[in-house]
Structure formats: C-alpha cells, structure tokens
Amino acid sequence: MLLVLLLIPLWIKKGMDERAVLSAKVELQHISSPPPAPPVTPAPAAQAVRPIGFGLTFALVPSDGKQPPDTVGLNCHGEPRQLDRPHQASCNPYRGDTSCRTVLPVLCIKTTGAAKPEGVVDGVYQGWVSGSLAATEPVMGAVLESLDVATARCAAEFGPGWRMAEFHGGQGGWGLQGDKGSDFSSNTRFWVHINDQPGNCWDSEP
C-alpha cells in the first residue's frame, strides 16, 4: 500500500511533464509560424505607346518686297519645301507632311481685330488673320500630344490669348498673314494644326 502511494505522485508528475512539453511544442509552433503572405495585387497593364506620326507645317512666303516689314505670311507652299510626306509636292493637311521626330517652332496666333495694313494683299488662300503671328522655340513634334499642349506652349512663351495657329485661320485655308509677333527663321517650317483632318502629330497615322 505504501509503495502504491509513493508511485502516485510520480505518475502525476510524469503526466504533468508530458502536458508541459506538448504545450511548449504548440507554443513554439505558433511563434515560429510565418505570418500569412499579403494578397498579390496585379500590376497595372502598361499603356500602349502611340507610334510617332506626321504633323502639318507651313513655311514663310518668299517676300516680293511689297509686304509691310512688320507683317508676315506663311503657307503650305513656302520655303523650304523639303517634306517627309508631301501631298502633290506641297504640305499634307490630310495625313501630315513632316515626321513628328522633327524639331520645329510652333506657329502661334493671337486674334486682336487688327485691320489689314496697306500693302497686304490677302485672299481665300492667304487670309489676313486680324491679329498677330509668332513662332515658339523649336520643339519635337511628338511632344505636342494634343492641341491643348501646343496652345499651352504658345501661351507660356507669348502670354494669354495666344494659341496654336490653325490651317483655316485666314479664310479658305492653306495660308495665313498677320502682324509679326516675333522673329521668324527663314530656313525652317513651323508646326500648325488642322481641325477637320488627321494631319496632326496627335492624330495622324505613321
């Protein structure tokens, strides 16, 4: 009987030790388990890069010596006439004529209601714009991603009211005349836009 009484505490102690070891193992497993990985968020789809197309350009009309010196005329057929994608040997308002990789000034216009000076002969294809024309610093055509971007460049360089010149800004299109709002280089062409054809750097096909 005494032997049984002595063995009981040992049996109880053994059971307690086993439960302690099991508890410790469970606790250790809980502590050492890594936290669950956060959910994977799919990366946003990359936007397709628009191919570089062609833009519409005008150039200075050769002077005949009769035009007032404070005015300027530009049109589709001005000089220089070297074009990447001409239409009938001239500018191309239908698809753009100059690679938008080319760096050219933007032709800007500000309508002021200015009367046509004496000595200026205008017409359907070389209309007086009743305002001023100016040329920005040269810029790669591909940078002109919209008309708003081009107009913002005109306003930044010349002030409020200036915008990118448009093909039909005179009367019937193809040419513009106005007061000279800046110096103009005689050996370059100038970016203009057209409002009813895909002939601009932002909407033409390559």
Side-chain angles (χ1 to χ4, degrees):
M1 183 68 178
L2 180 60
L3 179 60
V4 172
L5 293 174
L6 291 173
L7 290 176
I8 288 175
L10 294 175
W11 174 79
I12 296 173
K13 183 177 185 300
K14 181 179 179 182
M16 292 177 62
D17 290 344
E18 288 177 350
R19 286 195 297 273
V21 170
L22 179 61
S23 176
K25 287 182 178 180
V26 171
E27 183 68 22
L28 180 62
Q29 183 179 15
H30 175 72
I31 294 174
S32 61
S33 297
V40 177
T41 303
Q47 292 185 344
V49 178
R50 175 177 171 78
I52 294 178
F54 294 77
L56 176 62
T57 63
F58 279 2
L60 290 174
V61 178
S63 175
D64 58 5
K66 298 178 181 179
Q67 186 157 333
D70 55 349
T71 64
V72 63
L74 303 97
N75 66 22
C76 244
H77 320 296
E79 300 290 344
R81 296 184 67 172
Q82 293 80 14
L83 299 168
D84 300 314
R85 188 160 69 179
H87 172 72
Q88 297 181 356
S90 187
C91 78
N92 191 340
Y94 308 106
R95 300 177 63 213
D97 52 63
T98 300
S99 169
C100 294
R101 292 181 174 85
T102 308
V103 176
L104 298 174
V106 177
L107 182 63
C108 304
I109 182 173
K110 183 176 183 180
T111 304
T112 62
K116 182 178 64 176
E118 186 177 349
V120 171
V121 178
D122 69 346
V124 174
Y125 301 115
Q126 188 69 20
W128 178 254
V129 301
S130 299
S132 300
L133 297 168
T136 69
E137 291 297 314
V139 58
M140 181 182 291
V143 173
L144 306 176
E145 297 178 339
S146 69
L147 176 58
D148 288 343
V149 170
T151 288
R153 185 171 291 268
C154 291
E157 293 198 27
F158 303 116
W162 285 90
R163 64 188 187 278
M164 187 182 195
E166 201 269 329
F167 179 83
H168 304 94
Q171 296 180 39
W174 304 95
L176 307 169
Q177 293 186 89
D179 289 325
K180 188 182 292 185
S182 73
D183 292 331
F184 283 83
S185 172
S186 59
N187 62 349
T188 188
R189 295 184 71 87
F190 303 83
W191 297 118
V192 298
H193 82 97
I194 184 165
N195 60 17
D196 59 358
Q197 297 291 335
N200 310 290
C201 285
W202 54 85
D203 61 8
S204 66
E205 293 298 325

